[in-house]
Amino acid sequence: MEENQTMVTEFILLGFCLGQRIHVLLFGIFSLFYAFTLLGNGAILALICLDPRLHTPMYFFLSHLAIVDIAYACNTVPRMLLNLLDPALPISFGGCMTQTFLFLTFAHTECLLLVMMSYDRYVAICQPLQYSAIMGWRVCITLVVTSWVCGSLLALVHVVLILRLPFCGPHEVNHFFCEILSVLKLACADTRLNQVVIFAACVFVLVGPLCWVLVSYTRILLAILRIQSGEGRRKAFSTCSSHLCVVGLFFGSAIVMYMAPQSRHPEEQQKILFLFYSFFNPMLNPLIYSLRNAEVKSALWRALYKEGHSQLL
């Protein structure tokens, strides 16, 4: 039976099944969002690298979050923009697997980075006198490297399990990128093992980290309520509330996508949810984490002042 199967060597990404005029409109809107994502995260990354006052654990984690957001966008958006202009443009099987691997790597890594950032804020607010000792640079580098390594290894496991499956047709992926669940629907074999591993990975990188984040911020909230200074209470609450917005958007949409029964979420609705990962989360993260932060604003003004002063000279 396998000898009579024609193996798929390329896929067609169906994307958004709308009219040509709507595709052109979406191309313009998504291109604008893509530019904002790259400029916003790139600016934050540049400020953190160039300003010595931002060389702290909090901004070290934030710089890696910016790298993940840029990588997210660069992995999925350019291909989606091309498909809006030419819906029949195919993607090779190898290119599809690479896109799946990179997307899963960045998704897993961002989940773990958000946990590290919540832990950093917990130590800073709840144990300020021990902050320097607990969050040393060796610890921070170890946590970040662990996040990237674990994210990559988990993604590799998923891709290896996909590669063991035969794909004999159809070759149309009903998504705007090679999302793992959409690709698995095209396999000509039993995918229950893949589904079990996906669920187990969700428990490890979604449910577990989300519980840790909620516990951390609950303890942070209790510590904030005990702060005597009104200004200190306001600053701490503003920082943590913005972090929780990002956590809610990211973890909430991921849990709905991968842990809720699939029949409850039509494929077109799933595509909209995945836009949070490709556009909205990466675009909003610089605004939520950085531009509301007084230290980042000061660094931005210093950078602009130096640039303007050097041009005058």
Side-chain angles (χ1 to χ4, degrees), residues 19 23 50 52 97 102 113 184 200 202 269 303:
H23 280 188
L50 296 176
M97 292 300 101
L102 292 176
L113 282 175
L184 285 177
C202 287
Q269 182 180 338

Side-chain angles (χ1 to χ4, degrees), residues 36-276:
F36 282 152
T37 298
L38 297 183
L39 288 174
N41 286 284
I44 296 304
L45 191 59
L47 281 176
I48 293 172
C49 292
L50 296 176
D51 196 319
R53 301 184 190 184
L54 299 183
H55 293 175
T56 63
M58 174 182 173
Y59 295 105
F60 177 68
F61 291 125
L62 184 58
S63 67
H64 282 269
L65 184 65
I67 292 172
V68 170
D69 287 336
I70 291 172
Y72 255 135
C74 292
N75 181 47
T76 57
V77 177
R79 183 73 204 192
M80 183 182 65
L81 294 177
L82 287 175
N83 277 90
L84 285 172
L85 298 179
D86 185 4
L89 188 67
I91 182 172
S92 67
F93 183 84
C96 189
M97 292 300 101
T98 300
Q99 191 178 56
T100 301
F101 170 76
L102 292 176
F103 175 81
L104 292 174
T105 296
F106 302 141
H108 296 153
T109 303
E110 180 153 352
C111 288
L112 298 175
L113 282 175
L114 290 174
V115 175
M116 308 307 175
M117 295 177 73
S118 70
Y119 178 68
D120 173 72
R121 291 300 85 203
Y122 162 74
V123 176
I125 294 174
C126 298
Q127 302 181 45
L129 299 179
Q130 298 176 293
Y131 181 76
S132 299
I134 296 175
M135 299 302 296
W137 281 112
R138 180 175 295 181
V139 172
C140 294
I141 293 171
T142 300
L143 291 175
V144 166
V145 170
T146 301
S147 299
W148 281 101
V149 171
C150 288
S152 301
L153 290 178
L154 281 171
L156 185 61
V157 169
H158 288 303
V159 172
V160 168
L161 290 176
I162 293 176
L163 293 176
R164 59 180 265 279
L165 300 172
F167 290 86
C168 51
H171 66 289
E172 293 179 337
V173 179
N174 192 12
H175 218 295
F176 59 83
F177 75 104
C178 290
E179 192 272 324
I180 185 170
L181 295 179
S182 299
V183 172
L184 285 177
K185 291 177 182 178
L186 306 183
C188 305
D190 187 1
T191 62
R192 280 179 295 183
L193 176 61
N194 299 74
Q195 299 288 348
V196 169
V197 172
I198 289 173
F199 186 83
C202 287
V203 172
F204 177 72
V205 299
L206 288 177
V207 178
L210 179 59
C211 291
W212 180 271
V213 169
L214 292 178
V215 169
S216 297
Y217 280 108
T218 299
R219 299 187 68 175
I220 288 172
L221 180 60
L222 295 175
I224 290 174
L225 295 176
R226 291 195 297 266
I227 295 176
Q228 299 297 324
S229 168
E231 178 64 22
R233 189 186 301 118
R234 185 198 61 79
K235 181 179 179 181
F237 184 78
S238 175
T239 300
C240 294
S241 62
S242 63
H243 291 195
L244 281 173
C245 289
V246 175
V247 169
L249 285 173
F250 185 84
F251 283 98
S253 54
I255 289 174
V256 167
M257 280 302 310
Y258 288 104
M259 303 197 74
Q262 293 301 308
S263 59
R264 297 184 183 179
H265 308 289
E267 290 179 332
E268 294 305 314
Q269 182 180 338
Q270 294 178 22
K271 296 175 188 177
I272 295 174
L273 285 174
F274 270 104
L275 287 176
F276 279 100

Side-chain angles (χ1 to χ4, degrees), residues 270-286:
Q270 294 178 22
K271 296 175 188 177
I272 295 174
L273 285 174
F274 270 104
L275 287 176
F276 279 100
Y277 296 100
S278 298
F279 285 117
F280 302 122
N281 262 0
M283 186 173 63
L284 291 176
N285 279 352

